[in-house]
Amino acid sequence: MTNARKPDFSPRPGAARRLACVLLLGVSPGVAAQSPTTPIAVPKAAAPHTLRWWEAAIVVWPALGLMTADASVTHEFREHATSSAEHLAATFRRVGQPEVYALLPLGVLATGAVMHNPAVVRAGGRLVATVVVSTVAFQTLKLVSGRARPDAEEGPIDFRPFSGQASFPSGHSTVAFALATSISDDLHNPWATAALYGIAAGTAWSRVYNERHWASDVVVGAALGVTCAKVVSGRWRIFGLQPPSLLLEPDRVGVSVPLPHPHCHTCS
C-alpha cells in the first residue's frame, strides 16, 4: 500500500459563588435514580493536593522544549509510514472521537441508575464532569493559541491566536487521558490502569502519525487531560477550584462548577 505523504518543510464574589456550566445531554427521564433535583456531588479526596507553579513548570518547560523537535518527529513519522501503522492509527483515533467520550460517561451513568448503584452513578457523574471540563479546557487553549496543524505545511511555530487554527493542544489526547485517569482512579486495578493509559497513549500517537498534531500538542493534551480528571475527582486543587457537582433532572444532566472564594488561601 502506497501512502501519499506531503513533502517535508523546514526546520462576583459574595452571593455569586457558583458558575453554572450546564450541558444538556438529552438523558432520558429514567436515568435519574436519585431525586431529580438533588445534586450528586463529585466526591472530594481526603487530602487534596494543591498544584504549585513549579509542578506545572515540570510539564510546561519540557513541552516547550519539545516544540523545537516537532518538525523532525513529524518527518520521521512520514519517512516510516506503513499500512499496518495506518490501520492501527485509525483504530486508536476512534477513542478520542465525540461519540466515544460522550456515550461512555452516559453509559456508565445509565448503568448505575438501572442497577440502583449509587457508586456507579457517582462514577458516571465524574466521567460526565471530566469530559465537560476537559473539553472546555482544550477548546479554550485551541482558540487562544491558534497553532497550525502539521498538514497545513506552515511549520511548528505558526501561532496565530483566534485565527481558527486548532492544533494546540490535541483534543483527542486530552479527552483520552482524562477518561483513562478518571476510570483508573475508580477501579484501582493496576492492569486496568496500564490498559487504559496504553489506549490513551495510542490515541495520542495516532494524532501525530496522521499529521493532525505535533508531538508537543499531544504531550500538553495528555497533561491537561490528567489534570482535569484529578481536579474533577477532588484529588488535585488548582486556583482554589472545588470539584464540580453533577445535577440530575428528568430530561437533562448539568455540571455545576463552584467558584473559589475571593479570600481563598489555597489559591497561591
Side-chain angles (χ1 to χ4, degrees):
M1 174 180 177
T2 303
N3 295 290
R5 293 278 177 171
K6 295 183 178 68
D8 194 20
F9 46 78
S10 303
R12 220 195 241 173
R17 292 284 308 279
R18 287 175 174 267
L19 174 64
C21 301
V22 179
L23 180 68
L24 300 181
L25 298 173
V27 182
S28 64
V31 169
Q34 308 287 334
S35 171
T37 58
T38 302
I40 301 177
V42 178
K44 300 179 182 180
H49 173 68
T50 300
L51 292 177
R52 306 298 182 182
W53 68 267
W54 56 267
E55 291 173 309
I58 291 175
V59 174
V60 172
W61 285 113
L64 292 176
L66 183 58
M67 286 183 181
T68 63
D70 277 336
S72 60
V73 171
T74 297
H75 176 75
E76 285 299 311
F77 276 65
R78 287 174 174 174
E79 293 299 308
H80 299 88
T82 66
S83 59
S84 296
E86 292 282 357
H87 291 305
L88 186 61
T91 300
F92 276 123
R93 184 174 64 247
R94 294 189 180 95
V95 177
Q97 295 292 94
E99 59 268 24
V100 174
Y101 66 72
L103 292 178
L104 177 61
L106 292 179
V108 174
L109 193 61
T111 299
V114 170
M115 295 173 61
H116 301 287
N117 189 322
V120 177
V121 171
R122 286 194 296 269
R126 284 191 291 277
L127 285 174
V128 171
T130 295
V131 169
V132 173
V133 172
S134 61
T135 300
V136 170
F138 80 70
Q139 290 288 15
T140 300
L141 285 176
K142 281 178 179 289
L143 178 65
V144 173
S145 64
R147 190 185 196 186
R149 296 183 185 272
D151 57 7
E153 299 294 340
E154 298 291 343
I157 59 173
D158 186 57
F159 288 87
R160 284 177 278 176
F162 308 102
S163 65
Q165 297 183 146
S167 187
F168 181 87
S170 165
H172 281 68
S173 302
T174 300
V175 178
F177 274 90
L179 288 176
T181 301
S182 184
I183 297 173
S184 175
D185 284 349
D186 276 327
L187 293 179
H188 304 289
N189 184 298
W191 295 103
T193 296
L196 288 165
Y197 280 108
I199 293 172
T203 301
W205 164 81
S206 73
R207 304 307 283 164
V208 180
Y209 183 86
N210 291 141
E211 297 184 33
R212 295 299 291 160
H213 287 285
W214 306 100
S216 57
D217 294 338
V218 302
V219 170
V220 172
L224 182 62
V226 172
T227 300
C228 288
K230 294 289 188 180
V231 169
V232 166
S233 71
R235 289 176 170 83
W236 290 1
R237 292 284 176 83
I238 182 171
F239 303 132
L241 291 176
Q242 302 292 316
S245 298
L246 176 66
L247 309 176
L248 290 181
E249 295 184 7
D251 60 347
R252 64 181 178 178
V253 172
V255 176
S256 174
V257 182
L259 289 174
H261 192 277
H263 302 296
C264 174
H265 297 292
T266 63
C267 306
S268 57

